């Protein structure tokens, strides 16, 4: 369910910057999901829309580093 929704958001083109920010704010918690597919789908969406702010790029980087350490431990 979540992966399909995130995949459809990856193909969606928001009409304005505020809508893009709202989508990114709602996707941020998905970076902490236990399912790696959801994390990767959320990362894909955030990378597509990351032109809005460098804050989201830093958030993706930090979450993926933490996730890598969690998976390898």
């Amino acid at each position: 369910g979540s992966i399909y929704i995130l995949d459809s958001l990856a193909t969606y083109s928001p009409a304005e910057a505020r809508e893009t920010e709202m989508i990114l704010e709602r996707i941020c918690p998905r970076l902490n999901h236990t399912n790696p597919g959801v994390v990767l789908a959320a990362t894909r969406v955030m990378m597509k829309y990351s032109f809005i702010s460098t804050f989201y790029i830093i958030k993706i980087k930090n979450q993926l580093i933490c996730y890598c350490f969690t998976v390898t431990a």
Side-chain angles (χ1 to χ4, degrees), residues 7-8 10 13-14 17 21-22 29 38 41 47 49 55 64-65 68 71 73:
D7 284 342
S8 66
S13 296
E21 280 187 50
M22 197 166 65
V38 173
M47 292 299 292
Y49 298 139
F55 167 76
L64 288 179
I65 288 171
C68 288
V71 170

Side-chain angles (χ1 to χ4, degrees), residues 4 12 19 42 45 47-48 63 65:
Y4 294 114
Y12 175 71
E19 185 180 2
V45 174
M47 292 299 292
K48 179 182 178 192
Q63 292 296 336
I65 288 171

Side-chain angles (χ1 to χ4, degrees), residues 1-3 30-41 67:
S2 295
I3 296 172
R30 301 299 178 262
L31 293 173
N32 293 327
H33 203 277
T34 56
N35 184 344
V38 173
V39 174
L40 290 175
Y67 185 74

Side-chain angles (χ1 to χ4, degrees), residues 7-61:
D7 284 342
S8 66
L9 279 174
T11 60
Y12 175 71
S13 296
E16 55 188 38
R18 180 63 193 138
E19 185 180 2
T20 305
E21 280 187 50
M22 197 166 65
I23 290 171
L24 289 173
E25 288 171 6
R26 291 179 182 242
I27 290 177
C28 278
R30 301 299 178 262
L31 293 173
N32 293 327
H33 203 277
T34 56
N35 184 344
V38 173
V39 174
L40 290 175
T43 302
R44 186 178 325 124
V45 174
M46 292 183 81
M47 292 299 292
K48 179 182 178 192
Y49 298 139
S50 63
F51 63 89
I52 294 297
S53 173
T54 56
F55 167 76
Y56 295 106
I57 295 172
I58 293 169
K59 190 149 183 85
I60 293 169
K61 179 188 75 158

